[in-house]
Amino acid sequence: CQHLFCLPSGPSSVPKPVLKWGRASDRDPPVKAKQQRRVAGSCDQEASVELVGDGEGVGSAQLEEVNNLLANDDQELIGDFSKPHLLPTVDGKDPGLKYISPGTLEAVLTGHFSSFIESSIVVDCRYPYEYEGGHVKGAVNLPLQRDVEEFLLKQPIVSLDASKRVIIIFHCEFSVERGPKMCRFLRERDRSCHEYPQLHYPELYVLKGGYREFFFQFPSCCEPRDYRPMEHPAFKEELRKFRGQSR
């Protein structure tokens, strides 16, 4: 995929069907392209369409093409195309990722979305000395790819309530490199574990502006209430070590 949150489109040997939304006056019942929902990464998307063709039976390849077309019509669905994104998003550097504002993260932390979210995990991708110098309350420090695999994929976090969501929010100091890169890594590894488009974590976000911006806007949501930059002069050796491990 060129964009991790977008369904890839490509050449197909199957002629594209003509889609017509079903109406009450249609004589023939619509053909339903259904994907059943499962907790922890599956589909809940259902669409009814009528295939206008030569009157013969609809093959599985045609139904797959229909699903692809329907998914491409709505780029705001979460990664498994089961529902729209819950959190309001803002424009960010990478158009393939979903960014949220510091205010939205603060709303998540203070319970404004508790009716819809069972578990929200804030992943701090900064190096440990940055995290120890001040971090979002409740955030987990996962600076390396192996840390993300161990924490999120070895025993995936599953919603016990089918009506609620598990969301992951990534950030680093500015959310320009490390946070977005780790978000893309999780989606790629998650995809490799499933039959497309199923996912353990279909709803991923990146905190725009990173910890720096969040701290300046909501210092009371940080502990300790401080901000230690990556290039702090007292931690040059730690920076060199972790940069080496990240390569």
Side-chain angles (χ1 to χ4, degrees):
C1 301
Q2 292 181 344
H3 300 293
L4 297 177
F5 288 83
C6 299
L7 188 64
S9 60
S12 173
S13 60
V14 180
K16 291 186 177 180
V18 180
L19 298 184
K20 189 169 67 176
W21 294 108
R23 298 185 299 274
S25 60
D26 290 338
R27 293 183 179 180
D28 298 326
V31 177
K32 291 188 178 180
K34 243 184 183 180
Q35 294 172 322
Q36 298 298 330
R37 185 181 186 281
R38 293 191 317 176
V39 175
S42 62
C43 291
D44 191 25
Q45 183 184 9
E46 180 177 330
S48 296
V49 297
E50 182 181 346
L51 298 180
V52 181
D54 56 9
E56 295 182 1
V58 179
S60 59
Q62 286 180 307
L63 287 178
E64 183 178 357
E65 181 74 2
V66 170
N67 284 332
N68 292 344
L69 291 170
L70 291 173
N72 275 326
D73 284 341
D74 191 350
Q75 303 297 346
E76 295 305 313
L77 297 176
I78 61 176
D80 63 3
F81 312 113
S82 62
K83 58 179 73 71
H85 285 83
L86 172 66
L87 303 182
T89 58
V90 295
D91 291 336
K93 181 180 178 181
D94 189 333
L97 301 177
K98 295 299 180 184
Y99 292 79
I100 62 171
S101 68
T104 297
L105 175 56
E106 189 270 345
V108 171
L109 296 175
T110 53
H112 285 73
F113 295 92
S114 59
S115 297
F116 308 98
I117 298 175
E118 178 165 313
S119 182
S120 58
I121 301 96
V122 179
V123 177
D124 189 331
C125 302
R126 297 176 301 157
Y127 303 136
Y129 67 89
E130 298 173 83
Y131 177 85
E132 293 163 3
H135 57 267
V136 177
K137 287 183 178 179
V140 293
N141 187 211
L142 306 176
L144 302 176
Q145 291 180 351
R146 64 170 180 261
D147 300 326
V148 168
E149 289 188 287
E150 178 74 20
F151 188 86
L152 293 174
L153 294 176
K154 190 172 182 179
Q155 290 186 321
I157 300 167
V158 178
S159 176
L160 301 178
D161 184 341
S163 67
K164 292 191 175 183
R165 311 183 186 211
V166 174
I167 66 170
I168 315 290
I169 302 169
F170 291 85
H171 77 83
C172 53
E173 185 174 5
F174 304 104
S175 287
V176 171
E177 184 176 351
R178 292 175 289 175
K181 183 178 179 180
M182 201 68 81
C183 183
R184 291 192 296 268
F185 171 76
L186 176 62
R187 174 53 53 82
E188 290 167 357
R189 294 293 297 137
D190 202 354
R191 282 273 187 235
S192 70
C193 298
H194 294 88
E195 181 179 346
Y196 189 87
Q198 296 176 7
L199 291 164
H200 287 309
Y201 304 109
E203 196 157 1
L204 307 180
Y205 299 95
V206 175
L207 172 64
K208 187 173 183 178
Y211 179 76
R212 182 181 186 277
E213 187 63 32
F214 184 82
F215 171 74
F216 287 135
Q217 291 190 32
F218 303 101
S220 62
C221 292
C222 302
E223 57 182 8
R225 194 176 294 191
D226 203 354
Y227 161 46
R228 181 178 292 165
M230 181 184 73
E231 296 187 347
H232 192 289
F235 297 91
K236 290 182 179 180
E237 182 60 28
E238 286 86 347
L239 174 59
R240 185 193 65 79
K241 180 183 72 173
F242 278 100
R243 272 183 168 169
Q245 291 179 347
S246 300
R247 291 194 182 100

